[in-house]
Amino acid sequence: MKLRKKRHKPMHINDITIIDDSKLKKAITAAALGNAMEWFDFGVYGFVAYALGQVFFPGASPGIQMIAALATFSMPFLVRPLGGIFFGAMGDKFGRQKVLSITIIIMAVSTFCIGLIPSYAAIGIWAPILLLLAKLAQGFSVGGEYSGAAIFVAEYSPDRRRGFMGSWLDFGSIAGFVLGAGVVVLISSIFGEARFLDWGWRIPFFIAAPLGIIGLYLRHALEETPAFQQHVDKMEKDDRNAIENPPRISFTEIAAKHWKSLLVCVGIVISTNVTYYMLLTYMPSYLSHNLHYSEDHGILIIIAIMIGMLFVQPMIGLTSDRIGRKPFIIGGSIGLVALAIPCFILINSSVIGLIFVGLLVLAVLLNCFTGVMASILPAMFPTNIRYSALAISFNISILVAGATPTAVAWLVESTGNLYMPAYYLMVVAVIGLITGLYMKETANKPLRGAPPAASDHMEAKELLQETYDNIEQKVEDINAQIADLENKKQTLVDQHPKLD
């Protein structure tokens, strides 16, 4: 009995997704705003860590207060993988838009609640316990937030502009830091240190409520991403039961089939976020506690650095659409290995201008990672498991990155060596370099399991021709391999007397 070969229909212009530009802009705005709110909280927490240490851990020494406050910051990272598992499965089953609406509600409420917690002097041990519970709720929601937002933007973006569009996601992160830092400086300068420690530190956390309402409105108004909707339509066409009861894929199965992509994801996330937390969460405390700058001066320097990062961020995303993502991962990693110690020499120079230069160099190297991460990660997994695979691997990796402020603060405190942050960055940069060398280039290619996506009809024609050219090249390569195998086969046959 002769088996019939399954034939695939030729690709036509109608198979290429044309992205609506207005919907794309709304998607980016909604995703970036939610990400900004997430990092607004992280920024505020890092900038007021010294105040939180005194409010919630008043009996400890200043150094221990700082470590305790930063440890409370790091603890939520332990539950982020659980959030990743929960929201990842929901995102692959019910869609990206619905999950992102849920995560922004949880983030806004938990951040707002931090501002309501009484001090240790008022309720004793319950104060740090309630702070930890609020941070754990944040960690659970954030477990699905960044991954979902990155996927949302990637699935809405044309193939040739995915780097530029994805860069706006971390633009939102940096903008959230700038807003958080600016609010802290403004409130501190208006009310003075005494009133800021008494109650002024609560105000930045209350701002999360209006930000959350705006973000929820924007996300709720959006349609599902084209890639996920096409996936759903295909499932409905092939198997109507599958759309209501999609097959469950365990993380073990994902790891067995996509282990290379998972390792690349882990390497990029660790390299990016360790540098991120080092520069934007730990450095304000390092400048004030270890280098004895006033809190306001240290924060102002970091604000200026972050404003500079806002200009660099989209430029790197745009450039990556032309030269690829790999050069930035490799270049940023090499830069950290070579320049981490020189940068901290400048930071420890006690000269404001040199401190600024040292931080600025680290910030540009950080931009090399953040400018491309959101466009790289979603491209590594197919549509049906993209949210689950990315959310779980991202949040497992973030366990390492999230410990950065606490680990580095402890290393500096226990060794007395002010260059420990530089050594820490160098070790992480090696991970980034190895990842960059082994990762596959994703620029200007369709997402895995999705058809090509274009900005307009003209670009769709160009993409279709490129697809045809790639198919022709692959066929030629396969024919060459077949010819080579035929020659090898004939050589072996010639050596055997009974084969012809």
Side-chain angles (χ1 to χ4, degrees):
M1 182 176 173
K2 196 173 183 179
L3 295 174
R4 295 180 62 185
K5 295 180 180 179
K6 183 180 178 181
R7 296 184 63 85
H8 298 276
K9 294 192 299 183
M11 178 175 283
H12 297 291
I13 192 71
N14 292 335
D15 295 320
I16 296 179
T17 304
I18 306 295
I19 302 296
D20 185 292
D21 195 54
S22 62
K23 291 181 180 179
L24 172 60
K25 291 177 181 177
K26 290 178 182 177
I28 292 171
T29 302
L33 183 62
N35 216 39
M37 196 185 79
E38 171 192 344
W39 289 92
F40 171 82
D41 168 67
F42 286 166
V44 166
Y45 200 94
F47 290 120
V48 303
Y50 72 97
L52 295 178
Q54 296 178 49
V55 172
F56 291 100
F57 309 98
S61 66
I64 298 301
Q65 285 180 353
M66 180 65 65
I67 292 173
L70 291 174
T72 307
F73 168 86
S74 298
M75 285 296 289
F77 290 87
L78 296 176
V79 300
R80 283 184 64 161
L82 298 178
I85 293 171
F86 179 76
F87 290 116
M90 287 185 65
D92 283 332
K93 181 175 182 179
F94 299 111
R96 288 58 162 126
Q97 184 264 349
K98 293 181 179 66
V99 171
L100 288 176
S101 296
I102 295 171
T103 58
I104 200 168
I105 292 172
I106 299 174
M107 277 200 304
V109 171
S110 56
T111 303
F112 183 83
C113 286
I114 291 177
L116 299 176
I117 300 173
S119 66
Y120 188 94
I123 60 172
I125 191 64
W126 282 104
I129 290 175
L130 290 174
L131 174 64
L132 180 59
L133 289 175
K135 295 298 294 180
L136 290 174
Q138 282 181 338
F140 188 76
S141 66
V142 171
E145 171 60 32
Y146 183 88
S147 303
I151 290 169
F152 200 77
V153 172
E155 291 185 346
Y156 251 114
S157 298
D159 296 340
R160 292 182 176 179
R161 299 170 63 198
R162 188 167 293 116
F164 179 61
M165 297 306 171
S167 68
W168 290 100
L169 188 62
D170 280 295
F171 181 96
S173 304
I174 301 166
F177 258 96
V178 172
L179 179 61
V183 168
V184 170
V185 171
L186 180 63
I187 293 172
S188 178
S189 61
I190 291 175
F191 296 111
E193 185 170 356
R195 280 188 289 180
F196 183 79
L197 287 173
D198 187 28
W199 55 268
W201 63 268
R202 300 178 185 275
I203 297 175
F205 294 103
F206 292 150
I207 295 175
L211 286 177
I213 292 171
I214 295 170
L216 177 61
Y217 170 77
L218 290 173
R219 289 183 175 183
H220 186 70
L222 285 170
E223 297 178 9
E224 189 52 79
T225 67
F228 185 79
Q229 191 57 53
Q230 289 166 355
H231 168 64
V232 171
D233 292 343
K234 184 177 184 300
M235 288 179 67
E236 286 182 330
K237 183 178 179 181
D238 295 344
D239 185 357
R240 291 187 178 275
N241 181 58
I243 191 62
E244 297 177 2
N245 302 289
R248 286 191 172 186
I249 302 176
S250 68
F251 184 70
T252 304
E253 293 176 81
I254 294 173
K257 191 172 182 180
H258 302 279
W259 63 272
K260 290 182 180 178
S261 295
L262 290 171
L263 288 178
V264 169
C265 177
V266 168
I268 292 175
V269 173
I270 289 177
S271 305
T272 303
N273 284 278
V274 166
T275 311
Y276 214 139
Y277 291 129
M278 183 76 75
L279 183 62
L280 302 184
T281 300
Y282 174 69
M283 286 310 296
S285 301
Y286 181 81
L287 292 173
S288 61
H289 178 69
N290 297 108
L291 302 186
H292 310 295
Y293 288 96
S294 70
E295 285 80 7
D296 288 350
H297 285 171
I299 290 174
L300 286 172
I301 293 174
I302 298 295
I303 289 176
I305 293 297
M306 288 190 292
I307 291 173
M309 290 179 67
L310 289 174
F311 290 97
V312 177
Q313 178 75 9
M315 291 173 56
I316 288 180
L318 181 64
T319 307
S320 76
D321 284 328
R322 288 163 170 73
I323 68 172
R325 329 286 192 219
K326 283 172 66 81
F328 288 102
I329 298 296
I330 294 171
S333 300
I334 293 173
L336 278 179
V337 171
L339 299 175
I341 290 178
C343 284
F344 272 86
I345 290 174
L346 295 175
I347 292 168
N348 283 272
S349 67
S350 300
V351 180
I352 292 295
L354 295 180
I355 293 172
F356 184 84
V357 171
L359 291 171
L360 182 62
V361 171
L362 290 177
V364 172
L365 294 174
L366 173 57
N367 274 131
C368 290
F369 295 105
T370 59
V372 298
M373 181 172 71
S375 55
I376 292 174
L377 301 184
M380 294 192 298
F381 303 101
T383 306
N384 65 314
I385 62 163
R386 184 170 293 133
Y387 208 145
S388 298
L390 182 52
I392 296 171
S393 57
F394 184 94
N395 289 293
I396 289 174
S397 310
I398 217 77
L399 287 172
V400 178
T404 298
T406 308
V408 176
W410 178 80
L411 286 170
V412 172
E413 194 76 18
S414 60
T415 64
N417 188 338
L418 294 177
Y419 290 93
M420 291 306 297
Y423 303 144
Y424 203 95
L425 286 175
M426 292 171 70
V427 171
V428 168
V430 173
I431 297 174
L433 180 58
I434 295 171
T435 303
L437 291 172
Y438 281 94
M439 66 175 277
K440 291 181 179 180
E441 185 57 74
T442 61
N444 299 309
K445 296 178 181 179
L447 295 173
R448 289 182 65 176
S455 300
D456 51 44
H457 193 72
M458 183 64 70
E459 187 175 288
K461 287 183 176 181
E462 294 174 2
L463 288 178
L464 183 63
Q465 187 57 53
E466 287 179 7
T467 301
Y468 288 161
D469 292 342
N470 288 334
I471 291 173
E472 290 170 7
Q473 183 60 53
K474 288 179 179 179
V475 170
E476 289 181 10
D477 292 341
I478 291 172
N479 285 334
Q481 292 174 12
I482 291 173
D484 184 54
L485 289 172
E486 287 288 350
N487 290 334
K488 289 181 179 178
K489 174 187 173 184
Q490 190 59 50
T491 301
L492 293 173
V493 168
D494 292 343
Q495 296 174 7
H496 196 291
K498 295 183 179 179
L499 292 177
D500 50 29

